[in-house]
Amino acid sequence: MKLFIDTADINEIREANKIGVLDGVTTNPTLAARTGRDFKSVAAEILREVDGPVSLEVLSLDTAGMVREARETAKLGDNVVVKIPMTVDGLKAVRELDADDVKTNVTLVFSASQAVLAAKAGATYVSPFVGRLDDISEDGMALVEQIIRIYENYGYDSEVIVASIRNPMHFVKAALIGADVCTLPFSVIKQLSQHPLTDIGMARFLEDWKKVPK
Ligand code: E4P
């Protein structure tokens, strides 16, 4: 399973890159706003730092505007993936961009029917938002299972990015289900490596080492 970081913070991206587990980046307008910086320079920095796919979102609501923005955005680098919202206009844009070999990530997917349409339109990636479904007492990971089953049934090529991840169990369940990609906030990436028994074990080893005759 590929691991993307879900942030626009270049320091977090650099830190995650140093761990050596980073396969790509997803951003969105909320994450861009959190940086408090001009997004063009932020995007340029991210694209210099990361070789893997970097999702950058369009803000137009109509197909023509999305396609125009997407083509401009795609010029920023070979690894740019244009994030397109899951709307009818968005699907039309995905169809046009797919014909031009512009990679797309259909975002804000909350149902299996939306995921089927995105795949049929030619999306490179489809992003179901599991945490936001859990937040309203629905089962986000059940949606991911449905999408993967349907994509396997029909051999759709779109890769599933499990998005809106809140905790390490989302990551583990995504891996068990066989999702292609998980995109995680930096806080959750750090949590993946932690276990209290590892800390207790290390403390014990260091204490016992003091007793070894030197
Ligand atoms: C995915 O591409 C989105 O940027 C992200 O996962 C949204 O997560 P949130 O629900 O925590 O805002």
Side-chain angles (χ1 to χ4, degrees), residues 10-82:
I10 188 67
N11 295 319
E12 290 184 344
I13 293 168
R14 287 189 179 129
E15 268 315 298
N17 223 359
K18 278 186 207 156
I19 305 172
V21 293
L22 199 60
D23 298 304
V25 177
T26 52
T27 65
N28 67 38
T30 306
L31 297 171
R34 271 187 211 148
T35 67
R37 300 178 50 204
D38 154 54
F39 194 62
K40 268 208 170 135
S41 30
V42 171
E45 274 180 1
I46 296 174
L47 290 165
R48 270 197 302 276
E49 174 69 24
V50 179
D51 296 328
V54 174
S55 287
L56 304 171
E57 192 154 341
V58 296
L59 292 161
S60 299
L61 296 177
D62 62 300
T63 304
M66 285 186 210
V67 170
R68 198 169 40 246
E69 260 190 77
R71 289 199 176 119
E72 279 308 303
T73 308
K75 286 182 196 155
L76 297 176
D78 290 343
N79 53 340
V80 168
V81 175
V82 184

Side-chain angles (χ1 to χ4, degrees), residues 6 26-28 31 83 105 107 127 129 132 163-166 183:
D6 194 31
T26 52
T27 65
N28 67 38
L31 297 171
K83 238 180 173 184
N105 172 0
T107 188
S127 292
F129 276 35
R132 292 193 196 186
S164 184
I165 282 191
R166 305 268 194 262
T183 188

Side-chain angles (χ1 to χ4, degrees), residues 26 39 44 82 110 118 120 139 150 152-153 161 165 194 212:
T26 52
F39 194 62
V82 184
F110 293 98
K120 286 180 75 69
D139 186 348
I150 294 169
E152 281 173 3
N153 285 347
I161 303 182
I165 282 191
Q194 293 162 353
V212 175

